[in-house]
């Protein structure tokens, strides 16, 4: 059995822990590897390697750091198909979707190649007579990145390139469900010239996370995962004095107004509801149909679902399996709860015949109509291919519903009325808004992040917020002395 270890101080290593996790191919249901689950000691070894590396990496010139980033970009770009295959083998998403994930990660690497512009400070001459002031941004030291299973490449790449380009050293703790891609990224970073210890990967579970949250050398934590764990990470790591951004779960609404193009809206709902089997934090899981469009919209969505092929991601299917058997069971139990609560299952994913191994973790796309806000299929993040349609009478009712949600990651409005769209973007309490765009993931040079229980902390991921998160500001006030500056004056400095 293939045993997946860690990457510390520039090489693959095995840790001291005897604990292991199972890694599956979700399309066959077979266990393909085991992953070491790091002990506190294993994590401490990685943090110490990062601490040593951070001391010199912070002094590496911007030219040297960007040279590494450019070389890394070329390697990932050249090997993107290999990376996509690794994602599909452990996560299950179809190859085309995995390639899309790699592409979004590449965009953050490209953004980080421009770190010299992002780190530029300000300079003011003569703030007082012959006194100049200027601002600097400096790295934090060692930072931890903890990522979820659903984007094993893109989420680590939201943070690692920016953190490293800004002069930090990183300890990355990927999801134990699909750990292989992170190790490849670390190896390729080393191949691109990143010094040993600047990027370390420890595989593990709660024990590894808790060690990172408490370790005094870790100055900041970037976390992405479910809301309860995000809240816990935020609270524990801020108590330990760290800077934290903890991105949590979501329940994303797509509002369809009566004047929308219903074919475009139906396409968007299917793509955003069932892409990656709904295992996306930006997936649309609640479709809010403003009457009288619901009957027509539901019919067009059902017609499209009938044409989807669920199966092995390597066979050109549209939708792959769920990540684990336990997760597939959990999603199936939500479908059962929806039926029991009285929602109408227009398409029932439990009936699917997959194009894949019968032991794979399958569930087909499910479409519920007449869902009400009290049902668990609406209130809970299911994180599977389940799309709920809620019918409302007006735009105001739609906005009130979206704003009553505890989550605020992404949302979309479909309409041809510019005024209504503009009003929605102004009124909705959500961090990322799409206008006729169902999955409004910002480009790398903007920042990604939700509101309310979808993000704990102040700064979002990548873009300007990412640079601010991984650096701290310093302002220098300088005067080059000559004898006429002498004299004693105990007054508070003022401008003269
Ligand atoms: P998860 O919360 O189970 O795990 C995330 C990470 O935390 C993993 O590395 C895991 O090992 C670790 N972890 C799990 N339980 C822990 C515990 N009790 N204490 C400490 N660490 C723990 O999430 P997941 O199932 O891997 O990912 C899916 C979730 O991530 C969904 O809720 C999804 O919405 C969310 N997500 C959010 C975003 C976003 O940008 N807001 C992006 C991707 C995924």
């Amino acid at each position: 059995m293939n045993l997946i270890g860690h990457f510390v101080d520039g090489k693959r290593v095995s840790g001291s822990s005897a604990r292991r996790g199972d890694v599956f191919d979700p399309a066959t249901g077979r266990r393909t590897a085991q992953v070491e689950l790091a002990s506190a000691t294993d994590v401490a070894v990685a943090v110490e390697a990062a601490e040593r590396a951070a001391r010199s990496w912070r002094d590496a010139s911007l030219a040297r750091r960007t040279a590494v980033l450019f070389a890394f970009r070329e390697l990932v770009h050249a090997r993107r198909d290999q990376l996509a295959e690794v994602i599909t083998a452990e996560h299950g998403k179809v190859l085309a979707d995995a390639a899309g994930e790699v592409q979004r990660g590449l965009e953050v690497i490209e953004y980080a190649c421009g770190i010299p512009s992002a780190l530029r400070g300000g300079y003011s001459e003569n703030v007082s007579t012959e006194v100049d002031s200027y601002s600097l941004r400096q790295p934090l030291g060692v930072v931890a990145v903890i990522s979820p299973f659903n984007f094993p490449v893109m989420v680590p790449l939201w943070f690692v390139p920016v953190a490293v380009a800004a002069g930090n050293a990183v300890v990355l703790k990927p999801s134990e469900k699909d750990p292989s891609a992170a190790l490849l990224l670390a190896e390729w970073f080393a191949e691109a010239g990143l010094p040993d210890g600047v990027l370390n990967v420890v595989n593990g579970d709660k024990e590894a996370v808790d060690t990172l949250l408490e370790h005094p050398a870790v100055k900041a934590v970037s976390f992405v995962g479910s809301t309860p764990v995000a809240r816990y990470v935020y609270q524990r790591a801020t108590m330990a004095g760290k800077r934290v951004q903890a991105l949590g779960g979501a329940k994303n609404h797509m509002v369809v107004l009566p004047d929308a193009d219903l074919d475009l809206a139906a396409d968007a709902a299917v793509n955003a509801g069932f892409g990656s089997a709904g295992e996306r934090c930006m997936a649309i899981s609640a479709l809010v149909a403003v009457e009288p469009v619901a009957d027509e919209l539901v019919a067009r969505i059902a017609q499209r679902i009938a044409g989807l092929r669920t199966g092995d991601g390597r066979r050109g299917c549209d939708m792959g399996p769920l990540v684990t058997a336990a997760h597939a069971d959990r999603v199936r139990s939500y479908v059962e709860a929806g039926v029991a609560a009285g929602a109408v299952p227009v398409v029932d994913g439990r009936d699917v015949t997959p194009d894949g191994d019968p032991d794979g973790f399958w569930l087909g796309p499910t479409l519920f109509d007449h869902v009400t806000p009290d049902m668990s299929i609406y209130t809970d993040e299911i994180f599977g291919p389940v799309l709920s349609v809620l019918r409302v009478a007006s735009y105001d009712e739609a906005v009130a519903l979206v704003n009553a949600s505890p989550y605020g990651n992404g949302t979309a409005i479909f309409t041809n009325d510019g005024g209504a769209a503009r009003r929605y973007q102004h009124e909705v309490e959500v961090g990322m808004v799409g206008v006729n765009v169902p999955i409004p993931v910002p480009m790398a040079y903007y920042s990604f992040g939700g509101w309310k229980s979808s993000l704990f902390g102040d700064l979002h991921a990548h873009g300007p917020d990412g640079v601010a998160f991984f650096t701290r500001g310093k302002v220098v006030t300088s005067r080059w002395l000559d004898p006429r500056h002498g004299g004693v004056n105990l007054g508070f400095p003022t401008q003269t």
Side-chain angles (χ1 to χ4, degrees):
M1 179 63 56
N2 177 21
L3 182 63
I4 299 166
H6 317 293
F7 187 91
V8 176
D9 218 3
K11 53 190 174 305
R12 289 209 189 220
V13 296
S14 250
S16 62
S17 164
R19 292 192 309 121
R20 309 269 184 266
D22 291 329
V23 179
F24 292 92
D25 178 341
T28 64
R30 276 192 280 284
R31 190 174 72 168
T32 52
Q34 285 204 304
V35 60
E36 291 188 33
L37 300 176
S39 64
T41 311
D42 298 333
V43 175
V45 169
V47 174
E48 280 154 27
E51 230 181 332
R52 284 192 301 275
R55 276 182 223 127
S56 45
W57 184 241
R58 81 188 289 280
D59 294 331
S61 69
L62 283 171
R64 174 149 178 245
R65 286 192 238 152
T66 47
V68 171
L69 264 295
F70 272 103
F72 179 58
R73 188 267 172 202
E74 291 304 296
L75 291 177
V76 175
H77 188 261
R79 299 169 187 173
R80 58 194 185 281
D81 293 342
Q82 180 188 346
L83 209 45
E85 281 164 23
V86 171
I87 296 171
T88 297
E90 292 184 355
H91 176 281
K93 64 177 76 175
V94 302
L95 273 175
D97 192 35
E101 165 175 359
V102 174
Q103 176 56 33
R104 297 311 299 252
L106 269 166
E107 288 164 11
V108 185
I109 305 173
E110 287 160 6
Y111 174 73
C113 288
I115 198 75
S117 312
L119 288 180
R120 227 165 24 199
Y123 193 105
S124 300
E125 189 187 39
N126 255 1
V127 294
S128 182
T129 307
E130 294 174 14
V131 175
D132 305 326
S133 239
Y134 45 98
S135 60
L136 315 172
R137 295 213 69 91
Q138 298 189 327
L140 304 176
V142 178
V143 301
V145 176
I146 300 159
S147 56
F149 80 84
N150 68 317
F151 284 110
V153 166
M154 184 184 78
V155 169
L157 290 179
W158 277 353
F159 305 104
V160 173
V162 179
V164 162
N168 300 283
V170 179
V171 178
L172 166 64
K173 206 299 284 174
S175 168
E176 62 276 36
K177 297 190 178 98
D178 43 16
S180 294
L183 291 167
L184 276 183
L185 292 175
E187 277 182 339
W188 297 352
F189 239 132
E191 195 179 332
L194 193 70
D196 293 351
V198 178
L199 173 58
N200 308 277
V201 178
V202 282
N203 280 308
D205 55 5
K206 180 171 169 55
E207 183 172 343
V209 171
D210 286 347
T211 310
L212 288 169
L213 302 183
E214 291 293 335
H215 200 297
V218 173
K219 300 301 176 202
V221 177
S222 297
F223 172 90
V224 180
S226 57
T227 289
V229 185
R231 186 182 281 116
Y232 162 79
V233 165
Y234 182 76
Q235 288 172 348
R236 186 154 177 188
T238 51
M239 282 292 284
K242 302 182 196 320
R243 184 180 290 193
V244 187
Q245 50 182 186
L247 285 70
K251 195 82 191 177
N252 304 310
H253 298 72
M254 171 170 153
V255 174
V256 181
L257 296 188
D259 72 324
D261 180 323
L262 292 190
D263 279 321
L264 292 184
D267 286 344
V270 169
N271 297 342
F274 304 117
S276 197
E279 292 171 329
R280 287 183 184 143
C281 63
M282 291 292 276
I284 293 292
S285 51
L287 198 152
V288 185
V290 179
E291 293 291 31
V293 296
D295 283 344
E296 190 52 37
L297 189 58
V298 167
R300 293 187 199 198
I301 292 172
Q303 187 193 12
R304 283 160 174 77
I305 293 176
L308 293 181
R309 204 152 59 90
T310 301
D312 192 316
R314 293 156 290 219
R315 296 188 192 173
C317 295
D318 300 299
M319 198 181 95
L322 289 161
V323 67
T324 57
H327 188 53
D329 286 345
R330 184 175 169 273
V331 177
R332 206 172 284 113
S333 75
Y334 272 108
V335 176
E336 281 153 20
V339 173
V344 177
V346 180
V347 182
D348 189 333
R350 293 172 296 179
D351 304 333
V352 76
T353 310
D355 177 3
D357 192 299
D359 291 333
F361 309 139
W362 306 112
L363 184 68
T366 296
L367 176 65
F368 274 118
D369 195 1
H370 296 283
V371 175
T372 53
D374 55 312
M375 295 179 184
S376 66
I377 50 171
Y378 174 71
T379 54
D380 296 6
E381 181 185 42
I382 301 175
F383 222 55
V386 182
L387 180 61
S388 294
V389 177
L390 296 97
R391 296 167 173 238
V392 298
S394 64
Y395 165 87
D396 287 330
E397 208 183 311
V399 178
L401 181 70
V402 179
N403 283 350
S405 170
Y407 298 106
N409 214 39
T411 187
I413 186 162
F414 274 70
T415 178
N416 283 315
D417 178 343
R422 191 172 180 283
R423 203 177 139 195
Y424 189 71
Q425 77 185 31
H426 181 67
E427 292 176 346
V428 77
E429 292 169 15
V430 172
M432 294 170 283
V433 181
V435 175
N436 298 317
V437 173
I439 306 192
V441 174
M443 296 299 289
Y445 37 89
Y446 284 87
S447 298
F448 179 108
W451 287 11
K452 303 199 277 188
S453 292
S454 294
L455 191 147
F456 303 93
D458 307 299
L459 292 168
H460 294 189
H462 62 67
D465 275 20
V467 175
F469 185 81
F470 288 120
T471 55
R472 43 188 177 171
K474 189 181 264 182
V475 178
V476 181
T477 304
S478 99
R479 173 164 68 186
W480 293 97
L481 294 171
D482 66 39
R484 88 201 134 72
H485 293 119
V488 172
N489 178 356
L490 302 192
F492 196 72
T494 52
Q495 293 161 359
T496 48

